[in-house]
Amino acid sequence: MIKLAAIIDGKALAAEVEKESLARAKRLAEKGIVPGLATLLVGENPASQMYIRLKHSACSRAGIRSENVLLPESSTEEEIIAKIQELNQREDINGILLQLPLPGGLNPQRAMMSILPKKDVDGFHPLNMGSLLLGVERLVPCTPLGIIYALERLDIRLEGAEVVIVGHSNVVGKPLAAMMLNRNATVQVCHVFTRDLAEHTRDAEILVVAAGVPGLIRKEMVRPGAYVFDVGINRVGDRTVGDVEYEAVSEIAGAITPVPGGVGPLTVAMLLRQTLKAAEEQTGSSQ
């Protein structure tokens, strides 16, 4: 009988974070502080609208006040930046999140750089990214933070661990590599130009896949007993699937995240943590 991998239940872990976050929010409320998050959505992308709803629902459960600022799809970069600057000036807004992607033709880089670093709950501002590379983790990208949180909750020792990350985006791959290095893991980062991907992935005690390619990682590419984090969210027909062949890889991995229900809920949960951290630091109420 084949023993299947343990499921890394992102929903359950996220529920724990929400509970912890609500307790932190209540402590702030006792001091007359209500943490606030503003999301900025440009246009009417259905997937983005769904993600915004999920984030606001989580905020409601965690005692965080949230509001969504909606701009028309015809908005210019200057109009988006002007709205962000308005939010920067508001004392009741501790965190600002610009929902990506922006409508075609708009480069998000300038807009994201206009968010004050202390309110950059996505962790994408160059000041926050630079601090991360220097080993000072201030506000950091939520998906890598969620993966680190899960590993810590699973009591996985990162010092000296062989970590392979497939995908070198600014959102997941690069910041996660830095966070792993900050914890003294040995890290390989693979991407579309990597030759013989399987040669690298089979080294991984911890394998993180964020390539956006359905079924990229097959059973023979995974080290027995590895911890596998599938960040991919792909629509194939009427199904949502990851970058890992879940059923087959489950037969060899030690533990694996499902899609959906794995890394996604953790990402949203880390947004709560980041917003609370920003609120505590801005009001001098840090734990």
Side-chain angles (χ1 to χ4, degrees), residues 1-286:
M1 182 176 177
I2 297 173
K3 182 180 180 181
L4 298 180
I7 295 173
I8 302 172
D9 189 341
K11 289 182 179 179
L13 290 170
E16 292 181 12
V17 174
E18 286 186 10
K19 185 177 179 180
E20 295 164 3
S21 298
L22 180 58
R24 289 170 69 179
K26 286 180 176 177
R27 287 194 290 272
L28 287 172
E30 290 169 358
K31 301 176 183 179
I33 300 165
V34 180
L37 171 71
T39 57
L40 182 56
L41 177 62
V42 184
E44 299 181 358
N45 181 302
S48 293
Q49 291 175 330
M50 180 190 70
Y51 292 138
I52 289 289
R53 287 195 297 270
L54 289 172
K55 291 166 184 177
H56 284 264
S57 294
C59 285
S60 177
R61 294 192 296 270
I64 296 171
R65 187 185 65 80
S66 63
E67 62 182 78
N68 185 44
V69 178
L70 181 61
L71 292 179
E73 191 160 343
S74 59
S75 299
T76 64
E77 287 182 19
E78 287 69 27
E79 289 169 335
I80 296 169
I81 290 170
K83 181 56 68 174
I84 288 172
Q85 289 172 341
E86 283 182 29
L87 296 170
N88 281 338
Q89 298 305 313
R90 285 178 52 181
E91 292 187 1
D92 62 328
I93 296 297
N94 306 111
I96 302 170
L97 183 150
L98 176 62
Q99 184 65 42
L100 301 179
L102 295 181
L106 293 176
N107 186 339
Q109 197 63 37
R110 282 184 60 219
M112 291 166 68
M113 287 178 66
S114 70
I115 298 173
L116 285 176
K118 68 180 182 180
K119 296 190 177 187
D120 170 38
V121 288
D122 255 339
F124 295 150
H125 192 282
L127 184 60
N128 288 326
M129 281 285 196
S131 296
L132 170 58
L133 288 174
L134 291 173
V136 180
E137 296 179 6
R138 300 167 69 175
L139 294 174
V140 299
C142 293
T143 298
L145 183 61
I147 292 169
I148 294 291
Y149 174 82
L151 288 165
E152 290 174 346
R153 293 290 289 110
L154 292 167
D155 202 25
I156 305 303
R157 181 181 174 87
L158 292 178
E159 186 174 7
E162 295 283 348
V163 177
V164 177
I165 302 167
V166 182
H168 65 343
S169 72
N170 294 331
V171 177
V172 181
K174 291 177 185 176
L176 180 59
M179 294 175 78
M180 290 291 187
L181 289 170
N182 289 345
R183 290 159 178 77
N184 297 316
T186 300
V187 182
Q188 297 182 61
V189 180
C190 303
H191 42 75
V192 68
F193 297 105
T194 298
R195 293 189 294 270
D196 195 355
L197 180 61
E199 182 179 340
H200 299 276
T201 58
R202 282 193 292 263
D203 289 338
E205 297 172 74
I206 299 167
L207 176 62
V208 181
V209 191
V213 180
L216 175 66
I217 301 300
R218 303 180 302 278
K219 179 179 179 179
E220 64 271 18
M221 300 171 70
V222 177
R223 176 174 176 167
Y227 287 81
V228 180
F229 288 82
D230 189 350
V231 185
I233 301 177
N234 311 289
R235 290 296 295 178
V236 176
D238 60 352
R239 296 188 306 136
T240 299
V241 301
D243 292 351
V244 176
E245 289 187 349
Y246 181 82
E247 289 79 9
V249 171
S250 293
E251 295 178 1
I252 192 168
I256 188 170
T257 58
V259 177
V263 175
L266 283 168
T267 298
V268 175
M270 292 304 109
L271 175 62
L272 306 177
R273 279 192 144 199
Q274 299 268 81
T275 301
L276 286 163
K277 181 177 182 179
E280 289 164 352
E281 291 181 351
Q282 289 166 35
T283 58
S285 305
S286 298

